[in-house]
Amino acid sequence: MQQIIQGELVGDFFPYFGGTNKQVIFYLKELVGRLERSRLLTFEADFRSYGSGYASYVDVFCYKKDGSSTKNVNGTLWIDGISIYLCKHAPVAIFGPNEKTKGSGHGSYGILSASDVGEIPSGSWDVELKFIKEKLAEYKIEFLTKRVIKKQLPFETKIRTVLNEDGYKVFDALFYWED
């Protein structure tokens, strides 16, 4: 975990073992490209770390292409979907429900917390989640459970993150964002 907190790559296959950060990003872009071939979901990936600071993960938001997870309320689109956080330093990921709004000149987007991990938005997402899990498995990326993510770190450390909730957890070590 300390290596990941320091921004080093950890894994047992290339590019996480023997590769560079740039090669990991290329690998994750390839994965997102595969996800985007879905006939069920639209994917929006942010490789820029929210446009400021540094995120140790790529945030991939997905929602149903058929419009069933989107509502238009007074000219603002409310989109229910799933956020997938792909760690840039180890072949692991988490997912959870998220919401995005898009309007004329404005919008909003949430950030996952450890308590959201493994949850899904309301409605039926079984087929969509199965597709996501299959694609990540093809790229040897493992989804972590809420139980694992919520564990306190067994050592003292300092993580440059704005997302910390109540002491450093595995979540903070893998999915940190510094602004």
Side-chain angles (χ1 to χ4, degrees), residues 47-83:
F47 288 91
R48 300 171 300 124
S49 299
Y50 293 102
S52 66
Y54 175 77
S56 67
Y57 58 93
V58 174
D59 183 349
V60 183
F61 180 68
C62 62
Y63 55 96
K64 296 182 180 184
K65 278 188 179 178
D66 68 4
S68 63
S69 63
T70 304
K71 306 180 272 218
N72 188 328
V73 180
N74 299 324
T76 298
L77 289 179
W78 290 79
I79 306 165
D80 288 328
I82 295 173
S83 277

Side-chain angles (χ1 to χ4, degrees), residues 95 97 112-119 146 149-150 165 169 171:
F95 71 89
L112 290 183
S113 70
S115 59
D116 297 324
V117 171
E119 304 293 323
K146 184 185 299 193
I149 273 309
K150 291 185 92 172
E165 301 176 350
K169 297 176 180 64
F171 176 89

Side-chain angles (χ1 to χ4, degrees), residues 12-171:
D12 61 1
F13 66 92
F14 186 83
Y16 295 97
F17 178 78
T20 65
N21 289 328
K22 196 176 217 177
Q23 289 167 320
V24 168
I25 294 298
F26 181 78
Y27 186 75
L28 295 176
K29 284 183 177 182
E30 215 175 80
L31 166 59
V32 171
R34 289 290 307 264
L35 289 168
E36 288 174 337
R37 294 181 187 162
S38 168
R39 285 180 262 138
L40 302 171
L41 296 165
T42 297
F43 290 86
E44 299 175 1
D46 185 355
F47 288 91
R48 300 171 300 124
S49 299
Y50 293 102
S52 66
Y54 175 77
S56 67
Y57 58 93
V58 174
D59 183 349
V60 183
F61 180 68
C62 62
Y63 55 96
K64 296 182 180 184
K65 278 188 179 178
D66 68 4
S68 63
S69 63
T70 304
K71 306 180 272 218
N72 188 328
V73 180
N74 299 324
T76 298
L77 289 179
W78 290 79
I79 306 165
D80 288 328
I82 295 173
S83 277
I84 306 162
Y85 285 6
L86 304 170
C87 184
K88 294 177 183 176
H89 303 289
V92 295
I94 56 173
F95 71 89
N98 209 340
E99 184 176 69
K100 186 177 245 187
T101 63
K102 295 180 181 181
S104 178
H106 67 279
S108 66
Y109 185 58
I111 294 176
L112 290 183
S113 70
S115 59
D116 297 324
V117 171
E119 304 293 323
I120 57 172
S122 62
S124 174
W125 288 85
D126 294 342
V127 173
E128 292 83 359
L129 198 53
K130 181 177 184 271
F131 169 79
I132 292 166
K133 287 179 177 181
E134 286 173 355
K135 292 302 168 217
L136 267 67
E138 287 175 18
Y139 279 77
K140 300 186 215 172
I141 298 197
E142 177 186 353
F143 271 120
L144 299 177
T145 64
K146 184 185 299 193
R147 186 178 56 75
V148 168
I149 273 309
K150 291 185 92 172
K151 286 183 181 175
Q152 293 286 335
L153 291 178
F155 53 84
E156 291 291 320
T157 191
K158 176 77 175 135
I159 303 173
R160 299 177 313 252
T161 184
V162 297
L163 302 178
N164 183 267
E165 301 176 350
D166 191 31
Y168 295 124
K169 297 176 180 64
V170 171
F171 176 89

